[in-house]
Amino acid sequence: MATVKVHDGELAYTDQGSGRPLLLVHGFPLDGTMWSGQTAPLAERFRVLVPDLRGFGNSSVLPGLVTMQRMADDLAEMLAALEVSQPVIFCGLSMGGYVAWQFALRHRQHLSRLILCDTRAAADSDETAANRIGLAQRVLKEGPSFVAEAMLPKLFAKTTIETGSPVVEATRQVILRTDPKGISAAARGMAQRRNVTELLPQIDLPTLLICGEHDAITPPDEMKSVAEKLPQATYVQIAGAGHMAPLEKPTEVNQAILEFCQ
Ligand code: MLT
């Protein structure tokens, strides 16, 4: 993988295809490989850029706390370093969506469209934030295996797990090889992210919202209520998928992205 220097670190990324730039931003605690079902097919139409966010995959780790703003700024720095001058289609899943909101608020001039997969605009409840701080402390002591065991049943639809889909084991392996310091810092960053709900009417960009029918982390009703507040939103529900809709149902997700970006 290639790397590029950003503030206080390095981001790893892949860059395939040509045409309008499409940035695919992964969720927590994963890496760019979660877009394996998108990268090659969409590179037939777009220049597909897939970063590993700071602390994940092959990117460098900034221990302590990494905010969603920092991650958004990293991506703006990456685009500048790669001389991507055309505004990008920013597609983020879950934590990648939290980063997308910050990118839209801080780097609007670099955006042409937004795609939000299985994410929310609201901040954490006090209870969720406290659980994240607990996870941030525990992962430093115990490593990531408890994170994998706790998260996998929530990331995938029941049928994806019960049918033995290889994407479940692949995702487990990604979590197990992630640096605990990266998981900890991002968990703290998510715990203190702001609620952007009241800012949604300002995000006046064509926006596609994709949600797995059985998403247990950001259910369809949550995403529909985000869509209602955005000036130019299209909502697409992916039948049979959970939170990891792009991995579970790549053909349907790619179709939704291609139709939206025509
Ligand atoms: C993700 O998929 O990025 C996480 O589920 C986000 C979260 O924990 O809020």
Side-chain angles (χ1 to χ4, degrees):
M1 273 178 106
T3 58
V4 70
K5 282 204 183 314
V6 291
H7 178 76
D8 270 352
E10 276 188 349
L11 282 197
Y13 66 95
T14 61
D15 183 354
Q16 282 183 53
S18 58
R20 284 186 285 165
L22 169 65
L23 189 60
L24 301 177
V25 182
H26 64 83
F28 171 90
L30 307 174
D31 65 19
T33 60
M34 65 143 282
W35 300 107
S36 56
Q38 280 65 50
T39 312
L42 295 180
E44 288 174 18
R45 278 273 305 279
F46 303 100
R47 178 178 179 186
V48 181
L49 293 154
V50 186
D52 288 339
L53 292 169
R54 189 184 282 261
F56 297 94
N58 292 302
S59 290
S60 59
V61 179
L62 183 68
L65 165 76
V66 176
T67 63
M68 301 300 103
Q69 293 93 319
R70 179 67 257 157
M71 290 186 183
D73 292 353
D74 283 347
L75 296 176
E77 287 177 34
M78 180 188 98
L79 294 172
L82 297 181
E83 297 181 355
V84 178
S85 53
Q86 206 181 341
V88 299
I89 304 161
F90 190 123
C91 173
L93 180 131
S94 202
M95 180 178 75
Y98 310 155
V99 177
W101 300 130
Q102 293 305 320
F103 195 93
L105 296 168
R106 297 160 76 85
H107 305 288
R108 167 74 179 79
Q109 73 279 15
H110 296 306
L111 275 180
S112 65
R113 284 167 185 263
L114 269 178
I115 304 173
L116 283 323
C117 304
D118 301 276
T119 193
R120 56 163 51 84
D124 283 351
S125 65
D126 290 347
E127 186 189 349
T128 304
N131 287 341
R132 286 204 207 274
I133 302 303
L135 179 148
Q137 291 165 343
R138 187 173 165 198
V139 74
L140 294 178
K141 292 193 204 118
E142 295 179 22
S145 69
F146 80 92
V147 181
E149 296 325 311
M151 286 201 72
L152 286 171
K154 295 188 220 152
L155 291 176
F156 294 100
K158 237 171 150 193
T159 42
T160 308
I161 294 177
E162 285 171 1
T163 54
S165 167
V167 298
V168 179
E169 186 51 31
T171 302
R172 184 197 311 277
Q173 294 308 323
V174 169
I175 299 174
L176 293 180
R177 65 174 179 255
T178 300
D179 190 320
K181 292 194 282 307
I183 295 179
S184 181
R188 288 181 186 279
M190 287 194 289
Q192 63 158 249
R193 75 186 193 283
R194 68 180 290 199
N195 181 355
V196 297
T197 307
E198 82 281 9
L199 302 174
L200 295 177
Q202 293 172 29
I203 302 181
D204 195 7
L205 277 167
T207 304
L208 172 65
L209 293 101
I210 295 176
C211 188
E213 177 190 14
H214 304 300
D215 187 337
I217 297 177
T218 46
D221 282 352
E222 174 100 29
M223 288 208 79
K224 284 182 199 159
S225 82
V226 171
E228 281 162 16
K229 295 178 186 75
L230 285 162
Q232 299 185 56
T234 306
Y235 174 81
V236 173
Q237 193 160 301
I238 305 295
H243 188 64
M244 298 302 297
L247 257 183
E248 297 175 87
K249 299 282 178 190
T251 308
E252 292 80 351
V253 168
N254 296 350
Q255 182 64 26
I257 292 174
L258 287 168
E259 274 174 23
F260 172 68
C261 294
Q262 265 170 13

